[in-house]
Amino acid sequence: MVRGRRDGDLEDCVRALAEVHRRDGYPVNWPAEPAAWLSPPSLLAAWVAELDGRVVGHIGLCGSGPGDAAPALWGSRQGGEGGATAVVSRLFVAPVARGQGIGALLVRGAVQDARGRALQPVLDVVASDAAALALYERLGWEALGTVEQRWGPGQTVAVRCFAAPPSASLD
């Protein structure tokens, strides 16, 4: 079951995120305050997935801001007339719940919400995250390009950017 995230879910979300980080290295850099990382200032909405009463997945939808690679690539591809975007972010599914379509359900919900706000859903993903790349490609997301981002002193990361396909492609 996918539902809107509540404040009381954050502890469970952090626990699931820690499992994902240990197994897959996502997020690449573990945040000093994981609950705050899941709730950035630009957050428009967030959802969780539950399995047997346990939070096993999460996704957020954020407003785009200066320096966001995917919105910039989308805008340039649209000739500067791409319209407003929303960034799909903080997607993870606990290892115990994988292979059941939970990631796809979370993505579809975030896309639907973005479109309800008249925003084009975009996202970026670390280029080495094969499982996430496979999910977005399977769901028909359009590759916008790859950019190098500096995440800290001596840390440059390749990030692939995507835009959601037309709504008919998500059914």
Side-chain angles (χ1 to χ4, degrees):
M1 170 180 95
V2 173
R3 62 168 173 77
R5 189 185 81 192
R6 300 185 288 255
D7 289 341
D9 294 325
L10 279 172
E11 185 177 321
D12 292 333
C13 290
V14 169
R15 190 173 304 116
L17 181 62
E19 292 173 24
V20 170
H21 180 72
R22 279 190 297 276
R23 178 169 174 172
D24 304 321
Y26 175 83
V28 172
N29 298 320
W30 183 255
E33 297 182 39
W37 183 80
L38 290 170
S39 303
S42 62
L43 188 69
L44 300 171
W47 300 267
V48 296
E50 289 182 323
L51 187 61
D52 298 326
R54 179 177 171 215
V55 171
V56 295
H58 178 275
I59 196 166
L61 185 68
C62 296
S64 59
D68 284 341
L73 288 174
W74 172 255
S76 67
R77 183 170 279 199
Q78 301 301 309
E81 300 296 323
T85 58
V87 180
V88 175
S89 65
R90 311 308 200 248
L91 171 62
F92 59 89
V93 175
V96 68
R98 293 186 182 160
Q100 300 182 51
I102 292 171
L105 284 173
L106 287 164
V107 170
R108 286 186 182 109
V111 167
Q112 182 178 5
D113 186 272
R115 292 215 167 104
R117 298 170 189 264
L119 301 171
Q120 169 62 39
V122 297
L123 60 82
D124 58 54
V125 61
V126 175
S128 61
D129 190 340
L133 291 170
L135 171 65
Y136 300 126
E137 289 168 357
R138 188 170 58 251
L139 294 176
W141 284 63
E142 176 186 359
L144 299 173
T146 302
V147 299
E148 297 276 321
Q149 292 183 330
R150 189 174 226 16
W151 286 7
Q155 186 182 29
T156 301
V157 179
V159 175
R160 293 201 48 207
C161 300
F162 291 87
S167 59
S169 300
L170 290 170
D171 298 329

